Amino acid sequence: MEPRESPAGATDDAEAVTRAFLTASRLLVAVSARSLAAVEERVTLPQFRMLMVLHTRGDTKLVALAEQLQVAPSTAMRMVDRLIAAGLAARQTNPANRRETLLSLTGEGRRIVEHVTARRRAEISAIVERLEPRQRAALIEALTAFNEAGGEPPVSQVHPLGWPLTP
């Protein structure tokens, strides 16, 4: 079967989609880097990822946090120690099981996540607003299909800044 030509002249095949997505991912990385720039003296990108996980999941055990970030527990512990020293995360005993320790964000950690996410959301929104309505609809359909193919569950409830609310 011959690949179809898209309106932009690119073939409608997996390679063309991959190239387009790689270009879009470069844009998203740039947006993320710019949004993080305001706090980069205090937080590295890996640390910010950890803050985001704590923000979306709430109080979390170290092992679960390491799994979510796909790092070794010892790596996660070093990152947590740095965030605690910076006043962005806290460690407390699990009230349901006194042998366990839970990690959580401090107020300052939460403010950093909200600030960076608001900047990222505003920049992405400005880009999306440049699209025609039909392009926006097509993008929603394509990204939904991409997320489903990648096994990313849909977000049913969303915080005003764009992240999923934990149950």
Side-chain angles (χ1 to χ4, degrees):
M1 174 184 254
E2 294 274 329
R4 292 184 304 139
E5 290 290 320
S6 71
T11 59
D12 183 21
D13 65 7
E15 181 57 30
V17 171
T18 301
R19 284 192 308 269
F21 198 87
L22 286 171
T23 301
S25 69
R26 275 197 329 259
L27 172 61
L28 291 171
V29 167
V31 167
S32 294
R34 287 190 296 267
S35 67
L36 193 55
V39 296
E40 71 184 344
E41 290 181 11
R42 292 191 66 193
V43 180
T44 65
L45 181 58
Q47 289 170 334
F48 183 73
R49 283 185 60 225
M50 181 173 275
L51 292 175
M52 280 296 295
V53 170
L54 289 172
H55 194 279
T56 57
R57 291 181 61 116
D59 295 350
T60 306
K61 293 189 286 185
L62 180 69
V63 172
L65 186 59
E67 286 174 7
Q68 187 75 24
L69 295 170
Q70 297 180 342
V71 299
S74 60
T75 300
M77 179 59 84
R78 286 190 299 275
M79 291 172 66
V80 164
D81 288 342
R82 288 185 196 109
L83 291 173
I84 290 171
L88 304 176
R91 187 182 285 125
Q92 68 271 347
T93 302
N94 184 349
N97 181 347
R98 309 258 331 136
R99 293 178 294 172
E100 292 179 346
T101 299
L102 296 175
L103 306 164
S104 62
L105 289 180
T106 62
E108 182 62 15
R110 190 171 319 288
R111 281 188 289 280
I112 284 180
V113 168
E114 290 172 356
H115 174 75
V116 170
T117 305
R119 288 179 58 132
R120 183 179 309 159
R121 184 176 184 81
E123 192 167 342
I124 290 171
S125 180
I127 293 167
V128 169
E129 287 174 8
R130 294 183 205 130
L131 299 174
E132 298 292 325
R134 66 176 174 71
Q135 292 172 312
R136 291 180 199 168
L139 186 58
I140 291 168
E141 183 179 340
L143 289 174
T144 299
F146 182 81
N147 292 336
E148 288 172 358
E152 188 66 24
V155 176
S156 56
Q157 293 182 310
V158 178
H159 183 279
L161 292 177
W163 52 76
L165 293 174
T166 54

